Amino acid sequence: MEDTSFIIEGGERLSGEITLQGAKNSALPILAAAVLAEGKCVIHNCPDLSDVRTALEILGHLGCAAVRRGHTVEVDARRIANTSIPSRLMLKMRSSVIFLGALLGRTGEAEAAYPGGCELGPRPIDLHIGALRQMGAEISEEFGRITAKSGRARETCVNLSFPSVGATENIMLFAARARGRVTVINAAREPEIEDLGEFLNKMGARVSGAGSGVITIDGACRLTGCEHTVIPDRIAAATYMCAAAATKGKITIDRIRPAHLGSVTDIMRQSGCLISEGESTLSLTAPDAIRPVRLIRTMPYPGFPTDAQAVVMAYLLRARGVSVFTENIFENRYRHTGELEKLGADITINGRVCVVSGVPALTGAHMCALDLRGGAALAVAALSAQGRSEIHNICHIERGYERFDETLSGLGARITRKKI
Ligand code: UD1
């Protein structure tokens, strides 16, 4: 199979302005939600990424017309021809599991492959299945496939044992056409959940509390098409902030919601970065000497995001002292550390805890992207290393970053692609 690599000549200070892409993790559930509308949805600021293309393929397979024009995607779900998602598409992207709730809400049936384990360690969907069952779905799990059938979701109160983002989304999607009120206790509070709630409300559902720990959804008989603009991608923002900071550079990010990045800017400030925020812009100037950060604990929103752990780690590799990370969301989210060590990073892992002892300099190396955010972290580190690095398997990076290399080149990075 053909592999594409990024070649990075490190050591250039990044400087300049970028316009932030739309949020992948918002676009995906919103595209799934479009299945609920007996009409056409127009979704703006929809990033052009391989994961989003997979979602469009799923929509096409279900019989919806899904067309992209620039950053606007139109989904016409007047006709649903199919309620089963092929294993090939389920395996490409774990988050395709949220189509279950949307299909159940719209048609009362859904069938999909079990997404299985993945690069971040075991990613069970027991909370999704348990909640959908509690809402009235009959679900069987056999031979790696999930088959679900239901009438309209029934009135109930789902108490999540952990504020899972995907499970909260699946509940909201199924509940949007419930016969009565569904309440979610200990719901995920991520901005992407709030965005999904807004989208569902525009379609005619009555969602309140999205973005807080308790969400209520009063189902509607019928949902219609609507128009919506996806929120900006806070994790892509964190990545470009780290790239600029790691190279002792400066960046201004336009079309950002600074409030969504509170826990990240807090850590960046602790490390010495100067950050100023406008209503939809953020500027960061790196410190001359990076200060270590005593403890970075990943937590559900509004805590520090697990998706930003790897890129912030890549930035802190050259801090003057020891930084400590605790990963509380996923079991296997330190796989990038083995690759970062190839650049000369000093990292020790003990279970959930990762200790990064800053080194004065990194040296370019050959590395392999093993997952999306870990892959982006390799690029951040390579940009700050002396000499040439090569990052293989960049398909992982391109699942989440639109024109990653062009965006970095625009800031002065020396990055090119090479087909192998
Ligand atoms: C979403 C994001 C992902 C992010 C994660 C945590 C999308 C497309 N992906 O993933 O980028 O890293 O939130 O912020 O939005 N869990 C269970 N049982 C379940 C569901 C989850 O045990 O049924 C566990 C998971 O294994 C994991 C933790 O809960 O340890 C968090 O998972 P969850 O919040 O569901 O993440 P995703 O929705 O998969």
Side-chain angles (χ1 to χ4, degrees):
M1 211 173 75
E2 194 178 70
D3 176 27
T4 308
S5 304
F6 284 140
I7 311 288
I8 295 176
E9 295 287 345
E12 298 292 330
R13 264 175 211 250
L14 300 195
S15 165
E17 188 171 330
I18 64 164
T19 301
L20 194 54
Q21 68 183 59
K24 167 179 91 71
N25 289 354
S26 223
L28 295 176
I30 283 173
L31 287 168
V35 166
L36 289 162
E38 290 173 44
K40 197 186 267 188
C41 291
V42 180
I43 302 155
H44 302 293
N45 204 27
C46 194
D48 190 6
L49 305 165
S50 56
D51 271 8
V52 172
R53 287 193 284 274
T54 303
L56 298 184
E57 249 192 274
I58 293 176
L59 286 167
H61 180 82
L62 301 177
C64 307
V67 184
R68 172 183 285 281
R69 283 189 197 84
H71 284 113
T72 297
V73 170
E74 284 186 18
V75 182
D76 184 344
R78 272 174 291 192
R79 202 178 71 96
I80 302 289
N82 214 328
T83 56
S84 132
I85 304 172
S87 308
R88 169 181 74 81
L89 296 174
M90 285 298 291
L91 295 174
K92 259 195 195 174
M93 178 177 73
R94 275 193 52 89
S95 55
S96 43
V97 74
I98 46 175
F99 277 89
L100 281 182
L103 277 169
L104 276 179
R106 174 69 189 274
T107 68
E109 55 179 45
E111 206 222 320
Y114 194 81
C118 114
E119 62 273 338
L120 306 181
R123 286 177 87 174
I125 54 165
D126 54 317
L127 299 174
H128 301 237
I129 302 284
L132 298 176
R133 279 195 176 128
Q134 193 185 326
M135 294 162 74
E138 281 176 28
I139 301 180
S140 62
E141 297 172 80
E142 271 178 347
F143 310 115
R145 286 195 74 80
I146 306 159
T147 309
K149 280 200 183 325
S150 71
R152 285 175 61 192
R154 65 172 168 237
E155 180 147 319
T156 189
C157 176
V158 181
N159 198 334
L160 290 174
S161 56
F162 180 88
S164 155
V165 173
T168 303
E169 290 165 350
N170 244 332
I171 297 168
M172 291 167 76
L173 292 167
F174 187 27
R177 289 197 62 240
R179 212 183 274 284
R181 171 173 287 194
V182 175
T183 307
V184 194
I185 312 277
N186 199 25
R189 290 184 282 167
E190 270 68 3
E192 294 76 20
I193 300 282
E194 198 177 342
D195 205 23
L196 177 62
E198 266 183 40
F199 183 73
L200 291 171
N201 283 339
K202 288 181 184 168
M203 294 169 92
R206 284 157 298 160
V207 179
S208 62
S212 78
V214 179
I215 304 177
T216 57
I217 307 114
D218 289 299
C221 282
R222 190 165 176 272
L223 297 172
T224 56
C226 68
E227 194 165 346
H228 184 75
T229 301
V230 171
I231 57 169
D233 196 314
R234 61 197 170 96
I235 305 301
T239 304
Y240 294 118
M241 284 161 71
C242 287
T247 60
K248 310 243 162 110
K250 273 182 182 193
I251 190 170
T252 296
I253 305 180
D254 193 20
R255 226 191 271 163
I256 187 173
R257 297 221 190 146
H260 292 171
L261 280 131
S263 58
V264 173
T265 44
D266 187 35
I267 297 290
M268 299 304 281
R269 284 189 171 120
Q270 284 181 45
S271 73
C273 291
L274 290 177
I275 295 176
S276 62
E277 297 170 9
E279 203 176 304
S280 60
T281 59
L282 181 149
S283 298
L284 174 147
T285 305
D288 285 333
I290 304 168
R291 288 201 295 260
V293 179
R294 202 184 307 155
L295 183 58
I296 301 170
R297 295 184 303 159
T298 66
M299 299 292 274
Y301 190 85
F304 183 82
T306 175
D307 285 351
Q309 175 252 105
V311 291
V312 169
M313 185 183 294
Y315 157 57
L316 291 173
L317 295 177
R318 292 192 304 140
R320 292 203 174 158
V322 175
S323 305
V324 178
F325 290 79
T326 313
E327 173 55 57
N328 295 308
I329 308 294
F330 289 105
E331 270 178 38
N332 192 8
R333 212 161 192 186
Y334 287 138
R335 296 210 307 159
H336 48 279
T337 55
E339 300 301 301
L340 293 173
E341 280 170 344
K342 295 178 184 169
L343 298 168
D346 182 346
I347 302 174
T348 313
I349 296 174
N350 188 352
R352 291 181 175 277
V353 179
C354 179
V355 178
V356 176
S357 304
V359 292
L362 300 167
T363 313
H366 277 245
M367 294 171 284
C368 189
L370 301 169
D371 61 72
L372 163 57
R373 306 302 171 187
L378 305 186
V380 168
L383 288 166
S384 70
Q386 294 305 316
R388 180 185 162 102
S389 292
E390 198 161 328
I391 302 174
H392 303 286
N393 238 355
I394 61 167
C395 56
H396 285 296
I397 300 176
E398 301 200 310
R399 285 184 35 226
Y401 297 88
E402 198 175 53
R403 296 198 301 272
F404 190 60
D405 46 339
E406 284 172 47
T407 307
L408 290 169
S409 299
L411 294 169
R414 289 203 282 156
I415 176 169
T416 52
R417 358 173 112 236
K418 181 173 118 187
K419 284 211 160 101
I420 303 166

